[in-house]
Amino acid sequence: MAVTLQTYLADAAEPGLAGLLNAMVDACAAISTLVRRGAVDEIMGALESENVQGEVQKKLDVISNDILLESCAKAPALAAMASEEMDSIHPVRPVTAEARYLLLFDPLDGSSNIDVNVSIGTIFSVLPVTADAAREATEADFLQPGRNQVAAGYVVYGPQTTLVFTLGDGTTVFTLDPVTGEWLQTAEKVQVPAETKEFAINASNMRHWAPPVRAYIEDCLAGETGCRGKNFNMRWIASMVADVHRIAMRGGVFLYPWDAREPDRAGKLRLMYEANPMAMVMEQAGGASYDGFGPTLDAKPTGLHQRVSVMLGSAAEVERLQKAHEAALQPA
Ligand code: AHG
Ligand code: MN
Ligand code: MN
């Protein structure tokens, strides 16, 4: 008999964290239902509004954000939330010994795929917060390295609705049974193969990449005729959750690196609620994540919505990329 999520969390997490994660996953089940209904409910398409990222918001971005806010606010252990879709933090209750967690999320990742029926998802990150006396959480409380996360993961709204997360003791997979509404464990202690023949990058940006990334991808493209001595395959779904899930399941390397289109921007993806949670899932599954300077999880955040370069997945490939970046910094 497969383990249910409630049973797993009751055993693996302290009650406050278990309550928060159950509330968060309940919201994801509701989002999954809406995503499946799509145009039937006239919830597709974009709004007039832009979010703090300067990106046009999809109706489902905002709807998903609201569902998460409403559901998670009920969890007594939650002090405050932050979202890709909200400029500033969303305090829920004063920080106390009970209200001891902060939740960050990208409510709907891969929004450009919503209207064309391609897999999208929700990404989440849980950080601890403490206070000597009851006080409201501040943005500064959120600016912790990803290494501090107590839980992190994602839900993919694809052919299956799949939850992949870690509490710091390995990465586990639960699949939503659409008939019973139960989340059932379908894999535990996921291991990302260290080697791979598959890379994921938006190759249309090739002319804008830094030399180490360009050389790495050119070596992959050279296949068995080049220094890699093997042929590579390429995938790019443009939903980070879907690309990362493929890598979690069968290996691969995902890159959204710095590029010269916006030289002052470290990358497109956001550290706090995209790169950090995915980096924890990867590391807990034997993979790795590198931001062009060091392990993603060691990055010291300077802003709630700061962007980073992301290179994650099979450990041997991430190591190769890190060495190429470090070599590029050596004096000639
Ligand atoms: P979001 O929809 O939350 O803004 O995230 C989209 C991100 C990520 O999911 C994906 O890997 C990347 O944007 C795709 O970017 P391009 O469209 O530039 O390829
Ligand atoms: Mn996203
Ligand atoms: Mn998003």
Side-chain angles (χ1 to χ4, degrees), residues 37-165:
R37 291 181 56 84
V40 169
D41 288 342
E42 293 179 14
I43 52 176
M44 311 292 265
L47 298 166
E48 300 297 311
S49 56
E50 271 192 5
N51 60 17
V52 64
Q53 325 284 343
E55 294 161 346
V56 171
Q57 289 179 305
K58 300 284 190 179
K59 288 179 190 168
L60 264 175
D61 279 326
V62 174
I63 294 167
S64 304
N65 192 67
D66 293 345
I67 291 171
L68 281 158
L69 291 177
E70 184 182 352
S71 180
C72 297
K74 295 173 190 155
L78 184 62
M81 293 184 253
S83 165
E84 177 187 88
E85 301 304 334
M86 300 189 301
D87 298 12
S88 50
I89 68 168
H90 180 89
V92 176
R93 57 179 62 76
V95 178
T96 60
E98 185 183 21
R100 51 194 286 202
Y101 298 115
L102 305 172
L103 175 68
L104 303 94
F105 49 79
D106 175 357
L108 215 57
D109 173 68
S111 300
S112 64
N113 285 320
I114 292 171
D115 298 338
V116 293
N117 198 15
V118 170
S119 297
I120 48 184
T122 297
I123 309 172
F124 65 92
S125 167
V126 182
L127 289 168
V129 61
T130 57
D132 297 335
R135 65 170 175 81
E136 197 161 280
T138 64
E139 183 167 312
D141 290 315
F142 282 81
L143 300 185
Q144 303 177 43
R147 200 70 67 192
N148 289 10
Q149 293 172 105
V150 294
Y154 58 86
V155 176
V156 184
Y157 310 117
Q160 304 98 43
T161 295
T162 304
L163 164 68
V164 179
F165 73 102

